[in-house]
Amino acid sequence: MSKTREGVPGIKYEIWSDKLQKIYGKGDKAFEAVKKIDLRVETGIHGFLGPNGAGKTTTMNMLVGALSITSGKAKIREKEAGSVEARRLIGFLPQDPVFYDNMTGEDYLIYMGSLGGLRKIEARKRAQELCEYFDIFDDRVRPIGEYSGGMKQKIGIAAALIHKPKLLILDEPTANLDPIGRANIIEKIKEISKNVSVFVSSHILSEIEQMCETVTMINEGAIVISDTLKNIKKKFIGNTFQLHTNKNEEILRDLEKKDYIDKTWVREEDGSIQVIPRDADKLQEEVPKLILDHRAILYSFHIPEVSLQDIFMEVYAKGGN
Ligand SMILES: Nc1ncnc2c1ncn2[C@@H]1O[C@H](COP(=O)(O)OP(=O)(O)OP(=O)(O)O)[C@@H](O)[C@H]1O
Ligand SMILES: [Mg+2]
């Protein structure tokens, strides 16, 4: 967690919630989209993950004050979510931002800047700086209706940044972008996060892995896991060793007889041996000896790293909690 940035004394959490709940509709039609969640988001980039309909957008909209809270509490840097003070601290990119197609990018940013409390001169200066930063300086005078998806996304993030917020809340900032557009936005978000904390939702797990140090996963309106990526990976670390040599079959026959082995099998893709040991230390002691005995060449012997994708699949396959 990057604690090197200037923090606010006494403020531990960028986002904090206590039993935050959203129920849509009433009576028979009532539907609990967010089930009394306790969020803890510190400085840095925090990923918000979950399948379609998990409640990410609903949660974010409550945090920024765009949607009423049914029950519970939420705070942005100690300020009540939805209050003027809290709103001022936040820059928000909605999942489906609505632009005025006839307005130019620059005019839109100036307009958003004035809503955020900037004077016109200040807003224009800042709009131009941001257009330059997002490589849309020449396009800033074109109407937004003529922009590509990637350019719209950039204008959306620039608009969120115009009033120099302390916290950026980005709802799927890379949706609908091609791989280059995505990489570009991710790079920018990482750069921006040196000065501003970021709470970002995405479906693309590899993106969250590239950007975030901490992650909250939700499913069906409830938090499934919330921790640093490092801790999450540690929790889910596999116990399956992978052994690859030029004599896999011979070595496998030998290994199968050992009492420190629980299970073995061969991975189809590359013929490597997969081993679940009863005694991992013993296995690690014995493998070099086996290699020598068989006069084999060792290509690799390790526990493959788990990816967020593996964890995501495992967590959601279990149906959440
Ligand atoms: N205005 C609404 N009225 C009733 N139900 C709603 C409303 N908005 C969202 N929902 C429901 O609330 C649940 C959570 O939706 P939400 O949009 O927050 O999910 P999400 O995690 O952002 O999904 P996605 O990844 O598809 O954007 C869904 O079941 C959705 O159908
Ligand atoms: Mg959403």
Side-chain angles (χ1 to χ4, degrees), residues 206-248:
S206 60
E207 282 182 8
I208 294 284
E209 270 192 295
Q210 283 172 51
M211 279 190 281
C212 305
E213 285 160 341
T214 51
V215 173
T216 294
M217 291 187 181
I218 63 165
N219 193 27
E220 294 176 1
I223 294 178
V224 179
I225 201 165
S226 185
D227 206 336
T228 62
L229 208 48
K230 218 168 151 190
N231 282 346
I232 292 178
K233 284 190 171 183
K234 235 189 264 165
K235 253 183 237 165
F236 282 82
I237 218 153
N239 61 347
T240 307
F241 286 80
Q242 192 169 302
L243 172 61
H244 198 21
T245 74
N246 65 333
K247 294 185 177 169
N248 285 346

Side-chain angles (χ1 to χ4, degrees), residues 146-216:
E146 292 177 13
Y147 282 15
S148 72
M151 286 155 71
K152 280 185 184 160
Q153 216 68 330
K154 286 175 171 182
I155 275 288
I157 300 177
L161 283 167
I162 192 113
H163 62 297
K164 299 196 174 167
K166 300 286 185 207
L167 168 69
L168 262 191
I169 297 188
L170 307 174
D171 197 354
E172 310 236 9
T174 58
N176 308 319
L177 297 186
D178 68 18
I180 294 172
R182 254 182 216 152
N184 199 305
I185 294 285
I186 291 171
E187 251 346 279
K188 292 285 189 235
I189 295 174
K190 279 161 79 171
E191 262 175 46
I192 292 164
S193 76
K194 288 177 189 155
N195 303 303
V196 181
S197 286
V198 181
F199 185 52
V200 55
S201 72
S202 172
H203 279 121
I204 302 164
L205 304 173
S206 60
E207 282 182 8
I208 294 284
E209 270 192 295
Q210 283 172 51
M211 279 190 281
C212 305
E213 285 160 341
T214 51
V215 173
T216 294

Side-chain angles (χ1 to χ4, degrees), residues 64 86-95 97-99 105 108-118 126-127 130-131 133-134 136 151-171 173 185 189 192 196-199:
V64 302
R87 281 171 193 244
R88 217 174 271 152
L89 295 170
I90 297 172
F92 177 47
L93 174 75
Q95 185 161 9
V98 179
F99 295 110
Y108 176 69
L109 292 182
I110 294 170
Y111 166 68
M112 294 300 282
S114 56
L115 289 185
L118 299 186
R126 180 100 177 117
L130 285 164
C131 287
Y133 179 69
F134 281 104
I136 45 172
M151 286 155 71
K152 280 185 184 160
Q153 216 68 330
K154 286 175 171 182
I155 275 288
I157 300 177
L161 283 167
I162 192 113
H163 62 297
K164 299 196 174 167
K166 300 286 185 207
L167 168 69
L168 262 191
I169 297 188
L170 307 174
D171 197 354
I185 294 285
I189 295 174
I192 292 164
V196 181
S197 286
V198 181
F199 185 52

Side-chain angles (χ1 to χ4, degrees), residues 236-242 262-263 265 274-278 280 283 302-304 306:
F236 282 82
I237 218 153
N239 61 347
T240 307
F241 286 80
Q242 192 169 302
D262 185 11
K263 269 189 212 142
W265 69 98
Q274 311 294 304
V275 188
I276 299 179
R278 257 192 208 103
L283 173 71
H302 67 294
I303 298 181
V306 283

